[in-house]
Amino acid sequence: MLPGQPCRTCGIVHFTSDHSRFMESMPQDPVDMIDDLVKMGLYKENQLRAADTVNTYELRKALFLKRVGRNDPQREKLILALCKQAGGLENAFAAAFGPQAGLFFADSVRNSGATRREFLKNMAVGAALVTLASCASGGEPAAEESAAAPVDTSNLEKTDIRVGFIPITCATPIIMSEPLGFYEKYGFNATVVKMPSWGAVRDSAIAGELDAYHMLAPMPISMTLGMGAAPFGVRLASIENINGQAITVAERHLGNVNGPEDFKGFVIGVPFPFSMHNLLLRYYLASGGLDPDVDVQIRPVPPPDSIAQLISGDIDAMLMPDPFNQRAVYEGAGFIHMLTKDLWDGHPCCAFAASDDWITANPNSFRALNKAIIEAAAYAQDPANRPEIAAAISDRAFLNQPVEVVEAVLTGNFEDGQGNTLSIPDRIGFDPYPWQSFAKWISSQLVRWELLGPERTADTITDAQIDELGTDVFLTDLARELALELGQQPPFETDRTETLAFDNFDPAAPTDYLKGQIDQFGK
């Protein structure tokens, strides 16, 4: 840097090399450093005395904003939203300052045997570290730098694991993590186990035959409540995919199906009663004036059996996960009537989950495994990686599908069976963040269609009960914490207004939404 030009590091006019000389001359002992900073006038005695009255929470929030906000109003708005969440601030604070943050700022420091002077100096050291970090680093590390850091696998309770999956593109992060090395990176000798149906996944989970599972997003709620089997505590750790489904109609009905009312009298396949497929299909049919329990027959069909049943005439249509919708087109068995993203763009579908018992017994392994899935989802979200992933997961051991079928789904460049070639890059997405608003919409629909038992009805369920289901089952805060550790930028909010084709869902008033649906469209 030439004299008279601003420093590239801090913007002040001096030689850039002055930074290294200054740091070399800094005292190594923190107390000596603070004494020097006081002598230099950076900290005034009256400021240190005033710090004694500062509310600890507000101090943490202010320092966090300084470290991470970088004077960006939108960024600070998101950070403040996080600060309002009980417990959320500590996770974000640790991400900003590192695992030793509590040494300087935790309440235990003030309430321990430390003297008032030591406490004040600890606060000053923390503030100095924030300033120095901002000057030296120029901002947060890039996501790829964080992700590339060596992974400590020494504390894993269990490394030989079995993860169950259904052979569909929704399971992409779970499946690809074996051939592409994400499990290995986090210390696991993992085997992904192909399952024939969602009922088999549920039964194997309860029997303890699997360590973790690919599940439909509503399944952890239904299993925890004991719907369809004895209650079995399951937690949804992260979302596997958003969008990625379609309503496909048998070729024999081409030209006769244009809207929901045209499905009257049909037998329609869905993969499982407690699925987004079933809930979205019912949502669509009801919008056309049909009663899904009277005017059509909705039948559970294992996804691998769906094409054969479409061809044989056992079902007239299906709302299935891919690649079976695209495979129906490939085989000339059916045509794609509608992508589910047109019913709810960004809707959840499948999830990564584990049982309460396994999480309790293997807390470190659970965090590491979830982290591997979240990192894999981010990799899958990049369109540039989709062809590579399609090749990796089409193998017989995984999806056992033609590569061109899987690639058509993942890239969004596909034939719809009606003579159209379409390009829809977000036909499927991989966003692992488990929004609480997802859980609340799912719960409201399980109640609407009387799938949560006679004790939970539209007349008796409360907002508080729906909220509790979401917070108990969807591990939103943990997903955010792990994403931050990976250098990603997850949302700081837990809820958002969900925009669907025929209405908007306000997560603050799920029962009002539920009753409004029933009033407008019927049960």
Side-chain angles (χ1 to χ4, degrees):
M1 186 192 75
L2 298 175
Q5 292 183 333
C7 169
R8 290 189 297 270
T9 302
C10 66
I12 298 173
V13 177
H14 62 79
F15 288 96
T16 301
S17 59
D18 288 349
H19 277 277
S20 58
R21 297 195 194 100
F22 174 73
M23 293 304 296
E24 290 172 358
S25 67
M26 287 289 287
Q28 297 302 304
D29 183 86
V31 173
D32 292 340
M33 183 175 73
I34 290 300
D35 285 339
D36 277 5
L37 293 174
V38 170
K39 292 173 183 177
M40 292 163 61
L42 295 179
Y43 291 107
K44 308 292 185 182
E45 288 292 345
N46 62 337
Q47 292 173 334
L48 292 173
R49 286 194 298 271
D52 191 39
T53 64
V54 174
N55 178 275
T56 305
Y57 175 83
E58 293 299 327
L59 175 64
R60 289 174 179 171
K61 184 170 68 174
L63 289 171
F64 185 77
L65 284 172
K66 180 178 178 65
R67 174 66 179 90
V68 186
R70 293 185 290 183
N71 297 318
D72 183 336
Q74 183 63 27
R75 191 178 180 87
E76 290 189 4
K77 180 180 177 182
L78 294 174
I79 295 166
L80 285 170
L82 175 62
C83 291
K84 293 177 182 178
Q85 299 176 36
L89 174 60
E90 295 298 331
N91 293 334
F93 196 75
F97 291 96
Q100 301 304 315
L103 176 64
F104 300 110
F105 301 104
D107 290 341
S108 58
V109 174
R110 183 164 193 175
N111 295 326
S112 69
T115 66
R116 173 178 174 276
R117 177 175 171 80
E118 288 170 336
F119 172 71
L120 292 174
K121 286 187 176 181
N122 279 339
M123 288 199 300
V125 169
L129 289 176
V130 173
T131 303
L132 291 173
S134 296
C135 181
S137 69
E140 293 177 292
E144 56 269 24
E145 292 173 348
S146 176
V151 177
D152 181 5
T153 62
S154 62
N155 65 346
L156 302 183
E157 299 87 0
K158 186 174 185 179
T159 56
D160 293 333
I161 59 170
R162 290 164 54 86
V163 184
F165 76 96
I166 298 289
I168 56 180
T169 49
C170 304
T172 293
I174 287 175
I175 300 170
M176 62 177 266
S177 290
E178 181 178 310
L180 297 185
F182 287 91
Y183 292 134
E184 183 180 4
K185 173 180 177 178
Y186 284 89
F188 295 105
N189 176 29
T191 301
V192 292
V193 182
K194 187 186 296 187
M195 307 297 291
S197 68
W198 294 111
V201 172
R202 176 198 60 204
D203 295 343
S204 293
I206 294 172
E209 297 169 349
L210 300 168
D211 296 288
Y213 353 95
H214 165 209
M215 282 189 167
L216 299 156
M219 283 179 68
I221 294 176
S222 66
M223 291 178 66
T224 297
L225 294 176
M227 300 295 106
F232 182 74
V234 177
R235 296 293 175 261
L236 187 152
S238 52
I239 295 294
E240 284 300 289
N241 70 296
I242 57 174
N243 302 331
Q245 331 298 312
I247 299 174
T248 297
V249 180
E251 181 73 14
R252 60 186 174 275
H253 296 297
L254 183 62
N256 297 321
V257 176
N258 299 300
E261 62 279 358
D262 297 325
F263 286 79
K264 188 171 184 177
F266 275 24
V267 178
I268 309 173
V270 297
F272 199 63
F274 300 100
S275 66
M276 287 299 298
H277 311 78
N278 187 23
L279 300 181
L280 287 172
L281 176 63
R282 288 169 174 270
Y283 175 81
Y284 178 57
L285 295 174
S287 74
L290 301 187
D291 184 335
D293 292 311
V294 175
D295 296 321
V296 301
Q297 181 183 344
I298 299 177
R299 175 186 297 172
V301 176
D305 297 342
S306 60
I307 305 296
Q309 292 200 26
L310 204 65
I311 293 172
S312 68
D314 289 342
I315 58 176
D316 297 286
M318 60 187 190
L319 201 164
M320 282 286 159
D322 272 311
F324 294 101
N325 303 289
Q326 199 61 45
R327 184 65 186 267
V329 173
Y330 181 83
E331 299 292 348
F335 62 92
I336 295 174
H337 168 66
M338 173 184 287
L339 299 180
T340 52
K341 76 177 291 291
D342 295 326
L343 290 174
W344 176 6
D345 193 6
H347 72 79
C349 180
C350 290
F352 172 69
S355 72
D356 288 346
D357 291 342
W358 197 87
I359 294 170
T360 300
N362 306 281
N364 295 323
S365 293
F366 173 65
R367 285 178 63 92
L369 187 55
N370 196 9
K371 207 167 183 178
I373 295 296
I374 290 172
E375 185 174 340
Y379 188 83
Q381 181 66 357
D382 186 344
N385 298 327
R386 301 278 179 98
E388 173 200 7
I389 293 169
I393 67 176
S394 296
D395 187 84
R396 183 175 180 179
F398 305 123
L399 297 187
N400 192 26
Q401 296 285 340
V403 173
E404 56 266 38
V405 171
V406 178
E407 188 168 328
V409 173
L410 294 184
T411 63
N413 299 316
F414 64 97
E415 307 289 329
D416 70 354
Q418 301 185 70
N420 303 307
T421 300
L422 303 176
S423 179
I424 305 177
D426 57 349
R427 172 175 175 169
I428 188 170
F430 302 97
D431 183 349
Y433 193 71
W435 289 93
Q436 286 292 309
S437 45
F438 288 171
K440 293 174 185 178
W441 188 89
I442 290 169
S443 296
S444 75
Q445 301 307 288
L446 292 174
V447 171
R448 178 184 181 184
W449 303 113
E450 300 177 355
L451 294 172
L452 289 187
E455 68 276 16
R456 299 179 185 89
T457 68
D459 293 327
T460 61
I461 197 80
T462 66
D463 287 347
Q465 289 172 315
I466 289 177
D467 288 350
E468 185 178 1
L469 277 175
T471 55
D472 282 353
V473 176
F474 278 48
L475 302 182
T476 307
D477 287 343
L478 176 61
R480 181 194 306 108
E481 179 182 343
L482 297 179
L484 285 168
E485 289 178 7
L486 286 167
Q488 299 175 9
Q489 295 186 350
F492 293 127
E493 300 90 348
T494 59
D495 288 283
R496 64 182 183 186
T497 298
E498 302 293 349
T499 302
L500 288 82
F502 309 113
D503 50 39
N504 294 324
F505 175 67
D506 179 1
T511 57
D512 287 347
Y513 174 81
L514 168 61
K515 292 171 184 175
Q517 283 187 313
I518 294 172
D519 289 343
Q520 184 175 0
F521 301 114
K523 184 187 72 172

